[in-house]
Amino acid sequence: MSDDANEPDVQPRVTIPGSFRGEVVGAQILGPVPADERIELTVVLRRRAELPDTAGSSGFLTPGELAERYGADPAEIAAVTAELIDLGFEMLETDPASRRIRVAADAGTVAGAFDAALTRVRQTDPVSGRVVERRAREGELTVPAQLAGRVTAVLGLDNRPQTRTRLRFVLSAEVTTSYTPPQLSRIYALPEGTDGSGQTLAIIELGGGFAQSDLDAYFGGLGIATPSVRAVAIDGARNEPGQDPSGADGEVLLDIDVAGGIAPRAELVVYFAPNTDAGFFDAVSTAAHASPTPTAISISWGQNEDEWTGQARAAMDQAMADAVAMGVTVTAAAGDDGSSDRSSDGRPHADFPASSPHALGCGGTTLDADPESAAITSETVWNSGPGRGATGGGISDAFPLPDWQLHAAVPARVGGGSGRGLPDVAAVADPRTGYQVYIDGQAQVIGGTSAVAPFWAALVCRFAQALGRPLGFLQPTLYRAANRARPTPGFRDITEGDNGDYRARRGWDACTGLGVPEGAALLATLFAADVGTTTGAFNE
């Protein structure tokens, strides 16, 4: 008998592409995670077939069609599930449509299954400012060879905060003017006779909460009925108001107040998830595959692209691709820290998920207008100066230039090459000319591109009501007439200001995209696009 016969049977392992995490920085290392600590994870499987790039731009899939054609293969779900059970995992949930398997196990089992070194760290939470303890990991993840290719992401091992809110406060003395959502409806000439009736608007939140008393006080003060608002708990998170008025609570109430004020008859569904890569992905996936399918999903949380692992970024992008394929328009805040997106390396950075080609990236302006008459004096790029807030925007390092942006004159990336440009659209975001909201019993004025994402999601609901159909993947239609020589139909071009590395200019720019909406005119453009789809009359 050879010596090899006495050697243990070592199963070959394969690296999960995009799973690398760099060295832990900005945190105190406390030591290894206890082997008996319970960990819940989201395992993402590959599609049974690739989703076409044009999915959602004309014609939409039903949830059943998406699951059958582009969800996870039932045979692969069974095989992966069996392997995970053999490795010692408990099955929590399986969703073939969104290709997710939720599992749980002790840290020792998790570390062995994915070749992960887990560390306990202490750091300051970027949203609440409180000192918290979290899990962290470094390096790549691997899986047994029989799972290679089938598993595309394993999320939740590292549960440090993945994103930040996109809202800004200023001292009351710095506020020069402020607006209620109904006033902005008039300023941006949103189409009359629309209020979001019959539409569902999903809002993603990664902390905080709302109280019904705050909603009743706010909307009562506007003289409109309080919208229908429902909370959905994801991965153990829930609606917890009164904890953080200047952070997560402020984000939640800002999103609801703006969305409900612009589209008061839409049903608002607020998804509360942990601020982790798994929580964020699970919230977007759950919202996209909900019944009824939402008209829009609003995302006001983000982080520069380099702060995401490739696997998490790809999983999120595919969740948003699912959404647009079913007719959902996803709006995402472009960031509040200018072209640097709070990176310290001196280079411009795009914010994700706004940089996803499946998200409608929302930038911000400074608006000087008469709240009562709706007369506009000026509107420029929002930039309050270093460290005081500015609209995000730039060129993605992670996503290539989409076909629908080819004629928008998107500049090259720093260092060369082309990439997806953002934002796509804009509205007021400067807190000095911000939104009147009501948070934890207090009337306040807030800004940030956090407000622009729900503003555009609510506008999409009003458009969908008028058109009698969802809008889905809206970007190809919006960019169809983009031209540097003239404003894009349905938009008022913003041509003054900068966000650091990028300056406003005629046509699309990396500060305010195509511009701010001229609501009724934009609706007319969408009507014309519908006519062109059926008659060929609408062309580039």
Side-chain angles (χ1 to χ4, degrees):
M1 181 181 293
S2 70
D3 291 340
D4 290 344
N6 296 319
E7 293 294 323
D9 182 19
V10 178
Q11 295 293 322
R13 301 185 67 84
V14 178
T15 298
I16 300 175
S19 62
F20 177 80
R21 269 194 183 270
E23 181 182 358
V24 176
V25 295
Q28 178 187 0
I29 308 298
L30 302 178
V33 172
D36 61 353
E37 180 176 315
R38 177 182 169 88
I39 298 176
E40 295 186 2
L41 303 174
T42 298
V43 178
V44 187
L45 306 187
R46 66 184 173 185
R47 296 187 187 279
R48 64 172 72 188
E50 288 302 310
L51 192 65
D53 290 339
T54 56
S57 56
S58 61
F60 308 121
L61 297 171
T62 66
E65 290 170 338
L66 181 73
E68 184 176 350
R69 298 180 196 175
Y70 305 108
D73 188 313
E76 290 205 337
I77 293 177
V80 173
T81 297
E83 179 66 22
L84 291 173
I85 290 174
D86 285 346
L87 290 170
F89 284 90
E90 171 192 353
M91 294 296 111
L92 302 178
E93 181 184 1
T94 300
D95 185 12
S98 62
R99 299 168 290 109
R100 292 180 297 147
I101 301 176
R102 289 279 297 163
V103 299
D106 61 69
T109 297
V110 169
F114 300 112
D115 196 20
L118 302 177
T119 305
R120 201 78 185 163
V121 300
R122 181 180 293 130
Q123 66 180 129
T124 301
D125 187 289
V127 178
S128 69
R130 294 190 292 265
V131 175
V132 296
E133 292 187 9
R134 295 287 187 265
R135 287 191 309 273
R137 71 170 181 86
E138 297 178 6
E140 296 176 318
L141 301 177
T142 69
V143 291
Q146 53 267 43
L147 296 182
R150 292 172 169 175
V151 172
T152 61
V154 177
L155 308 178
L157 283 159
D158 191 315
N159 68 348
R160 288 174 293 170
Q162 177 61 65
T163 66
R164 299 191 304 269
T165 57
R166 294 308 185 208
L167 81 167
R168 285 277 179 166
F169 292 83
V170 294
L171 297 174
S172 57
E174 298 180 67
V175 176
T176 58
T177 189
S178 60
Y179 311 96
T180 67
Q183 288 169 340
L184 289 171
S185 292
R186 296 191 296 274
I187 290 169
Y188 287 121
L190 303 192
E192 296 182 359
T194 61
D195 55 13
S197 292
Q199 314 304 312
T200 300
L201 195 164
I203 299 173
I204 305 300
E205 301 294 357
L206 305 177
F210 66 89
Q212 187 65 42
S213 58
D214 278 353
L215 302 185
D216 292 340
Y218 179 71
F219 290 103
L222 296 180
I224 59 179
T226 303
S228 170
V229 183
R230 177 166 56 91
V232 176
I234 302 292
D235 297 353
R238 62 185 187 275
N239 177 23
E240 292 187 286
Q243 306 295 313
D244 187 14
S246 63
D249 276 9
E251 182 62 71
V252 173
L253 270 301
L254 174 65
D255 292 346
I256 295 174
D257 289 355
V258 172
I262 297 295
R265 296 298 298 276
E267 180 183 7
L268 308 185
V269 184
V270 186
Y271 292 84
F272 288 95
N275 186 4
T276 64
D277 56 5
F280 204 164
F281 169 71
D282 287 337
V284 173
S285 292
T286 302
H289 291 270
S291 180
T293 301
T295 302
I297 296 175
S298 174
I299 302 173
S300 293
W301 301 69
Q303 181 67 277
N304 87 63
E305 290 178 330
D306 290 353
E307 298 298 323
W308 293 77
T309 61
Q311 62 163 2
R313 205 168 47 224
M316 281 283 291
D317 177 57
Q318 287 300 303
M320 291 183 283
D322 281 358
V324 299
M326 292 185 287
V328 185
T329 302
V330 181
T331 64
D336 292 353
D337 297 286
S339 58
S340 72
D341 207 28
R342 207 179 288 192
S343 175
S344 60
D345 63 7
R347 298 176 60 251
H349 289 268
D351 197 83
F352 183 81
S355 67
S356 163
H358 298 105
L360 186 71
C362 299
T365 67
T366 298
L367 173 65
D368 181 6
D370 186 322
E372 301 307 319
S373 70
I376 299 169
T377 301
S378 69
E379 192 162 12
T380 59
V381 176
W382 168 40
N383 188 342
S384 299
R388 294 175 57 80
T391 182
I395 314 303
S396 172
D397 290 324
F399 298 97
L401 182 71
D403 289 345
W404 38 268
Q405 274 193 327
L406 287 175
H407 303 295
V410 176
R413 296 167 173 152
V414 172
S418 61
R420 187 268 203 268
L422 77 148
D424 301 300
V425 296
V428 60
D430 188 340
R432 298 169 302 179
T433 64
Y435 296 72
Q436 297 176 23
V437 295
Y438 197 84
I439 302 168
D440 294 348
Q442 297 290 325
Q444 300 194 44
V445 174
I446 304 182
T449 56
S450 278
V452 187
F455 173 92
W456 268 92
L459 178 54
V460 164
C461 287
R462 289 176 64 159
F463 286 160
Q465 176 191 0
L467 293 167
R469 65 166 181 86
L471 275 63
F473 196 18
L474 185 55
Q475 291 89 311
T477 299
L478 296 183
Y479 279 88
R480 190 174 298 178
N483 189 310
R484 285 290 302 280
R486 62 181 184 274
T488 303
F491 289 89
R492 181 160 46 80
D493 205 0
I494 305 301
T495 59
E496 295 183 23
D498 68 84
N499 67 351
D501 288 87
Y502 302 99
R503 292 198 63 83
R505 65 184 189 184
R506 295 184 67 181
W508 181 91
D509 57 61
C511 300
T512 56
L514 299 171
V516 299
E518 293 181 325
L522 183 52
L523 178 59
T525 298
L526 298 175
F527 268 123
D530 277 2
V531 171
T533 299
T534 57
T535 68
F538 187 81
N539 55 60
E540 298 181 14

